[in-house]
């Protein structure tokens, strides 16, 4: 049996205890649950700030930590989508109260007091989760600070249209591994938009192609269909247009489907499938 290394907490020297008997490793550990306490924390391929960014953990996301080194890095697995990698240890703490709300604005600011004039202590992206302790004026009070209450919604409240969520990101820079308005990639856009609607979604485009929806013909393209190429995914806005985070525009952009098909096809890459979620 083979295991996807992106989703498997196993190295030659260390692995999660539940992998015992499935893979070989020098030692196995139980792991300790922690929580992201910053707006966004980078999950990298190696324990270095120069290592490639694989994805990001947003505030409130739980992480199973299997190792903490002397250089300030942890090796662990995100609990939302299962991605494995290295995060700054300073970005995590033992979980506090269970999150009650999520951020619905593309980005909101956290203040140290109930005042918009106070210097913000953090910026939280769409999808970040917090435990609201109480309300004060127009603010929601959390253990980390004060957030504009109108930028939050109870966890059970979800967006009705993931395509509309994706459209809010138009113009955001392209960033490999990103998941916020500071930058995101093609599959990050899809994941963030679906998460906002309460729909679980894998992280990478090849995982999404295998897990999401049912195959349909490109000729029958409708709003909300996902168009896949090798290493890329776009969201159809209708029969003739689509939205995607892409390295050609270096941004989230809307463009004609025919134009994108021709440009990407000129590189020798063809559509591998179109998937319909409903």
């Amino acid at each position: 049996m083979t295991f996807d290394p992106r989703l498997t907490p196993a190295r030659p020297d260390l692995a999660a205890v539940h992998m015992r008997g499935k893979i070989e490793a020098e030692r196995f550990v139980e792991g300790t649950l922690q929580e992201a306490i910053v707006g966004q924390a980078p999950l990298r391929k190696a324990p270095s700030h120069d290592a490639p960014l694989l994805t990001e953990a947003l505030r409130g996301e739980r992480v199973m930590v299997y190792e903490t080194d002397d250089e300030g890095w942890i090796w662990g697995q995100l609990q939302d989508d299962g991605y494995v990698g290295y995060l700054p240890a300073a970005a995590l703490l033992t979980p506090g109260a269970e999150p009650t709300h999520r951020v619905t604005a593309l980005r909101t600011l956290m203040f140290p007091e109930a005042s918009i004039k106070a210097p913000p202590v953090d910026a939280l992206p769409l999808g970040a989760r917090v435990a609201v302790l109480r309300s004060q004026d127009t603010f929601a009070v959390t253990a980390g600070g004060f957030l504009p209450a109108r930028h939050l919604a109870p966890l059970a409240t979800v967006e009705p249209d993931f395509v509309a969520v994706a459209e809010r990101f138009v113009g955001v820079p392209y960033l490999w591994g990103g998941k916020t308005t500071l930058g995101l990639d093609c599959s990050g856009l899809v994941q963030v938009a679906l998460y906002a609607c309460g729909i679980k979604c894998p992280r990478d485009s090849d995982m999404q192609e295998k897990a999401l929806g049912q195959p349909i013909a490109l000729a029958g393209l409708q709003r909300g269909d996902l168009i896949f190429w090798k290493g890329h995914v776009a969201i159809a806005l209708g029969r003739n247009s689509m939205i995607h985070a892409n390295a050609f525009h270096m941004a989230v952009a809307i463009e004609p489907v025919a134009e994108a098909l021709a440009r990407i096809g000129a590189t020798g890459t063809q559509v591998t499938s179109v998937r319909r979620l409903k």
Side-chain angles (χ1 to χ4, degrees):
M1 181 181 296
T2 58
F3 297 94
D4 189 332
R6 296 169 295 179
L7 304 175
T8 307
R11 306 181 324 212
D13 64 322
L14 180 67
V17 71
H18 68 262
M19 297 302 299
R20 191 190 300 274
K22 301 175 183 177
I23 56 95
E24 293 185 3
E26 293 178 8
R27 62 191 180 95
F28 296 84
V29 297
E30 286 283 356
T32 303
L33 193 64
Q34 295 194 13
E35 178 180 276
I37 58 166
V38 296
Q40 61 199 87
L43 185 143
R44 299 190 181 278
K45 190 173 183 178
S48 168
H49 294 291
D50 296 329
L53 179 68
L54 300 178
T55 187
E56 294 175 307
L58 307 186
R59 189 182 184 108
E61 182 166 0
R62 302 295 166 89
V63 182
M64 188 62 71
V65 175
Y66 295 106
E67 179 187 61
T68 302
D69 68 19
D70 294 332
E71 303 298 322
W73 291 92
I74 72 94
W75 178 67
Q77 184 171 35
L78 304 185
Q79 297 299 280
D80 281 0
D81 61 24
Y83 225 102
V84 174
Y86 297 85
L87 298 103
L92 306 174
L93 275 181
T94 301
E98 286 289 331
T100 60
H101 290 69
R102 61 181 180 82
V103 174
T104 56
L106 286 182
R107 187 169 291 275
T108 192
L109 298 176
M110 177 178 281
F111 299 93
E113 57 185 280
S115 171
I116 61 173
K117 297 181 180 180
V121 296
D122 202 355
L124 276 58
L126 176 74
R129 286 163 285 182
V130 296
V132 174
L133 306 177
R134 66 180 190 280
S135 298
Q136 183 173 331
D137 301 325
T138 60
F139 291 90
V141 184
T142 73
F146 295 72
L147 293 164
R150 66 176 61 248
H151 287 174
L152 303 176
L155 290 182
T157 303
V158 296
E159 297 281 351
D161 181 358
F162 88 95
V163 181
V165 175
E167 289 177 303
R168 295 167 62 190
F169 284 86
V170 169
V172 167
Y174 179 85
L175 174 64
W176 183 276
K179 289 173 54 175
T180 79
T181 53
L182 294 182
L184 40 60
D185 59 20
C186 64
S187 56
L189 176 65
V190 171
Q191 187 186 58
V192 168
L194 287 175
Y195 271 15
C197 297
I199 301 171
K200 296 293 288 183
C201 175
R203 178 58 178 90
D204 292 344
S205 61
D206 64 316
M207 301 174 183
Q208 294 171 354
E209 186 172 17
K210 293 177 182 177
L212 299 175
Q214 300 296 323
I216 64 157
L218 181 62
L221 202 62
Q222 295 180 6
R223 177 182 172 87
D225 291 340
L226 300 178
I227 310 169
F228 290 95
W229 296 260
K230 183 179 180 180
H232 190 59
V233 60
I235 305 169
L237 299 180
R239 186 180 182 87
N240 300 313
S241 64
M242 63 185 227
I243 181 172
H244 58 152
N246 67 92
F248 177 78
H249 295 95
M250 282 306 294
V252 177
I254 294 174
E255 63 176 323
V257 171
E259 183 177 303
L261 291 177
R263 185 183 70 252
I264 298 173
T267 69
T269 302
Q270 303 299 321
V271 171
T272 54
S273 73
V274 179
R275 315 284 296 185
R276 180 163 296 164
L277 299 182
K278 296 181 180 179

